Amino acid sequence: MVFYEEILSLANIPTIILLSILFLFSLRLLKSNKLPPGPFGWPIVGSIPHIDKESYLTFDKWAKEYGDIYTVKLGWTTAVILNSFDAIKSTLKDQGDKFIDRPRLPIIELGFTKGGVVFENGPAWSERRRWMFCVLRNFGLGKKSLESRINLEADYLCKEINKNCNSFNPLHIVNNAVSNIISSISFGDRFEYSDPKFKELLDTNRYLLKHSTFVAPVNAIPVLFYTPMYNRFREVTSSLIAFINDSIQQHQETFDAGNIRDIIDSCLAELEKEHVDSKLFAKDTLWRTLFDLFIAGSETTATTIMWTILYLVKYPEVQEKLQQEVDEVLGQEKKPTWGARQSLPYLEATIMEVQRLSNVAPLLARSTSEEVEINGYKLPPGLTILANLWNVHHDPNQWERPFNFEPERFLTDDKRTIRKPNVFIPFGAGRRMCIGELLSKMEIFLFTANLIQRFTFEVPDDKTTPSVNECVPGLTRSPKPYEIYAIKR
């Protein structure tokens, strides 16, 4: 009801009538395209009022009535939901070239404009992605230099944790530590945990991800973006853009083509080259590429580590096994390495189980790049596709006791080797896999190994054990705020 009250306060009767006519016309077009059937949608807003904050749970519920592939109206956006691994495999994996685009969502188009990588399509996406991957490789992706950078930041994080004699919420310092990795690569510097400007930036980041959802009201009625309803969203977006542009300006003043210090310098060097498409790398959209890097390279990884700490507190027997494994392989002094993960299978299995259960990115968004036929239905080009990874990772047909926390499910019978099922896809599927997958894996593994090596995490005596079944929903799925004790080992 709140949704309708907001809409009615901002729209008049003629507008509603016109939009209703357009909606009915769109329904006729949908019928001609022979899309899979799905739940009822109201004029203008579609099915959005019937979708819970944790939309993936609603999509899972509807699948029981309409099957694993069905259609939902999300305002003006028509989306086909893929609600099983088989549905995802037959589309995003087996026909990846036809599902390579990102959907055009008003919340993204109006809020962040174009020029990036994550929500770009076509040749521009392909070229920018190739360039970004090469740049990340140049700055240590998968190499010893990046491993050392992560371990150094883990030292700073552990020192910060040591300052907390009482119980504390680890959210800010974990987020700051993880963000410092991509910040040092992108901006050429790390930020102190006490830096108020960077703390505000991280808060901004979380705010945007919380409100940039597929079922946001602005996706139903784009004009809402310019109303008081989205004042805060516009403000925090502007502050983040200003921060990035200030860094770009500082780099321009000291730029030396013979000394490329970070990704901003790499971008500035690329601007001096000639490209077939002059808009491929342009000064006015340079911030957008860095924005994508900062968002993708910080929030999801930090959130995964926050879930990991929460599960260690919830399951102390798992934490004890991890400490025993780390002590046997590394002791108290030896630094964790990316290569050491083969000798720490229980740690890697635990991280995978956290990723499976927490589902930091529960919905995977794609768009058809050409007409596709699935199960007798014709999907037109430009159709939004939402793959429900939550269901994939909780499907009782794929996992035994899917809601139990059991790291052993990812180990072979001898407990020495990782076993990775095909249905485990936390970083997505198809040709548009997360470009930061390797960076995220390295950070999660090395930060977690350092934390386990140095601390035992417990719930404060005056606090109840935080629930792992509750979350803060948004574009990402975060744990609710919690406090812990960190006991130095």
Side-chain angles (χ1 to χ4, degrees):
M1 295 303 294
V2 174
F3 180 89
Y4 283 116
E5 290 172 3
E6 293 281 357
I7 301 305
L8 291 174
S9 68
L10 297 166
N12 53 40
I13 297 301
T15 300
I16 292 175
I17 293 174
L18 176 59
L19 293 175
S20 298
I21 293 173
L22 291 174
F23 177 77
L24 293 173
F25 178 70
S26 67
L27 285 181
R28 184 175 180 181
L29 289 178
L30 292 180
K31 187 175 181 180
S32 65
N33 282 319
K34 296 182 179 180
L35 294 181
F40 171 78
W42 294 96
I44 304 174
V45 297
S47 297
I48 289 179
H50 303 294
I51 298 175
D52 297 331
K53 289 184 177 180
E54 295 181 68
S55 55
Y56 45 89
L57 297 181
T58 303
F59 294 153
D60 192 28
K61 179 182 67 177
W62 282 341
K64 293 175 174 60
E65 181 177 354
Y66 299 103
D68 291 339
I69 302 178
Y70 61 91
T71 305
V72 173
K73 282 292 295 180
L74 304 175
W76 293 109
T77 300
T78 300
V80 166
I81 309 299
L82 307 177
N83 206 69
S84 70
F85 177 74
D86 290 341
I88 293 173
K89 183 180 183 303
S90 64
T91 52
L92 274 58
K93 282 194 169 188
D94 295 346
Q95 304 182 70
D97 290 341
K98 298 178 181 180
F99 294 88
I100 202 171
D101 287 346
R102 289 281 194 188
R104 297 295 190 188
L105 297 174
I107 190 68
I108 301 298
E109 295 288 296
L110 296 173
F112 310 124
T113 70
K114 298 181 180 180
V117 178
V118 175
F119 281 92
E120 192 58 87
N121 293 324
W125 164 75
S126 180
E127 182 63 20
R128 288 197 190 109
R129 179 184 171 91
R130 180 200 61 78
W131 173 83
M132 185 178 288
F133 187 77
C134 290
V135 169
L136 288 173
R137 290 281 297 177
N138 290 340
F139 285 98
L141 185 62
K143 300 177 182 178
K144 288 284 186 181
S145 57
L146 183 57
E147 180 182 287
S148 299
R149 194 190 299 252
I150 297 171
N151 273 327
L152 178 60
E153 189 61 43
D155 287 339
Y156 286 115
L157 173 60
C158 291
K159 288 177 183 178
E160 194 68 23
I161 292 175
N162 273 327
K163 295 179 182 178
N164 294 278
C165 299
N166 300 315
S167 63
F168 68 101
N169 183 338
L171 176 60
H172 171 64
I173 59 175
V174 168
N175 207 350
N176 204 135
V178 173
S179 297
N180 270 342
I181 303 302
I182 196 64
S183 294
S184 63
I185 296 172
S186 300
F187 307 121
D189 202 1
R190 63 178 297 277
F191 296 86
E192 295 296 332
Y193 299 117
S194 58
D195 188 328
K197 187 175 181 180
F198 196 60
K199 183 180 185 303
E200 182 181 351
L201 186 70
L202 297 178
D203 291 342
T204 293
N205 195 2
R206 288 195 299 274
Y207 179 91
L208 292 176
L209 287 173
K210 181 180 178 180
H211 291 86
S212 299
T213 65
F214 302 107
V215 295
V218 71
N219 290 335
I221 305 177
V223 72
L224 290 180
F225 187 79
Y226 302 102
T227 68
M229 187 176 179
Y230 278 85
N231 277 350
R232 175 63 177 157
F233 191 96
R234 296 196 306 274
E235 289 171 1
V236 298
T237 302
S238 296
S239 67
L240 181 54
I241 295 172
F243 174 85
I244 295 174
N245 278 330
D246 284 347
S247 296
I248 293 173
Q249 180 62 37
Q250 293 171 18
H251 278 67
Q252 287 176 327
E253 295 171 357
T254 58
F255 177 68
D256 178 3
N259 179 29
I260 302 300
R261 299 162 293 184
D262 47 39
I263 291 179
I264 291 182
D265 276 355
S266 297
C267 290
L268 294 176
E270 197 67 30
L271 288 175
E272 296 183 350
K273 299 179 182 179
E274 291 187 5
H275 295 277
V276 175
D277 182 357
S278 60
K279 296 181 179 179
L280 191 62
F281 294 94
K283 286 185 178 181
D284 60 342
T285 58
L286 178 55
W287 69 267
R288 186 66 173 83
T289 298
L290 294 163
F291 175 90
D292 283 354
L293 266 177
F294 186 74
I295 292 283
S298 57
E299 178 64 22
T300 55
T301 301
T303 301
T304 302
I305 294 174
M306 286 295 294
W307 278 114
T308 301
I309 295 173
L310 184 56
Y311 273 97
L312 295 183
V313 168
K314 180 73 173 179
Y315 297 92
E317 69 279 7
V318 171
Q319 183 173 195
E320 187 176 343
K321 287 183 181 179
L322 287 170
Q323 290 173 335
Q324 182 179 351
E325 182 181 68
V326 168
D327 289 349
E328 290 175 355
V329 175
L330 301 176
Q332 289 293 306
E333 301 297 332
K334 189 177 180 182
K335 285 287 185 182
T337 64
W338 179 234
R341 67 191 186 281
Q342 295 178 355
S343 302
L344 297 166
Y346 192 69
L347 172 56
E348 191 167 7
T350 300
I351 291 171
M352 293 168 73
E353 181 70 339
V354 170
Q355 289 177 310
R356 183 189 72 83
L357 279 172
S358 64
N359 271 270
V360 171
L363 293 175
L364 182 65
R366 295 287 185 271
S367 178
T368 50
S369 55
E370 58 183 274
E371 185 177 276
V372 187
E373 184 169 332
I374 302 174
N375 297 346
Y377 298 108
K378 291 184 179 179
L379 311 186
L383 183 69
T384 296
I385 307 294
L386 295 179
N388 192 354
L389 300 189
W390 169 269
N391 174 267
V392 171
H393 291 147
H394 292 80
D395 187 349
N397 295 319
Q398 303 287 354
W399 307 90
E400 293 184 7
R401 302 172 297 280
F403 290 92
N404 288 6
F405 182 64
E406 300 176 6
E408 290 80 6
R409 73 173 78 245
F410 288 103
L411 294 172
T412 54
D413 292 340
D414 61 5
K415 311 299 183 187
R416 296 180 180 178
T417 308
I418 288 294
R419 179 169 55 87
K420 182 181 177 181
N422 291 332
V423 294
F424 179 67
I425 48 174
F427 293 97
R431 283 191 57 193
R432 199 136 187 174
M433 291 278 287
C434 175
I435 192 173
E437 178 179 357
L438 179 56
L439 174 61
S440 180
K441 285 181 175 179
M442 290 182 69
E443 289 179 327
I444 294 169
F445 179 83
L446 293 174
F447 274 119
T448 303
N450 273 282
L451 292 174
I452 290 169
Q453 187 180 40
R454 305 187 202 189
F455 299 101
T456 296
F457 297 104
E458 294 182 358
V459 181
D461 293 336
D462 59 340
K463 303 288 184 180
T464 58
T465 303
S467 173
V468 293
N469 298 317
E470 298 179 356
C471 73
V472 178
L475 196 60
T476 56
R477 185 176 181 274
S478 307
K480 284 195 170 184
Y482 62 83
E483 290 191 0
I484 55 168
Y485 269 130
I487 303 170
K488 189 174 181 180
R489 300 183 64 210

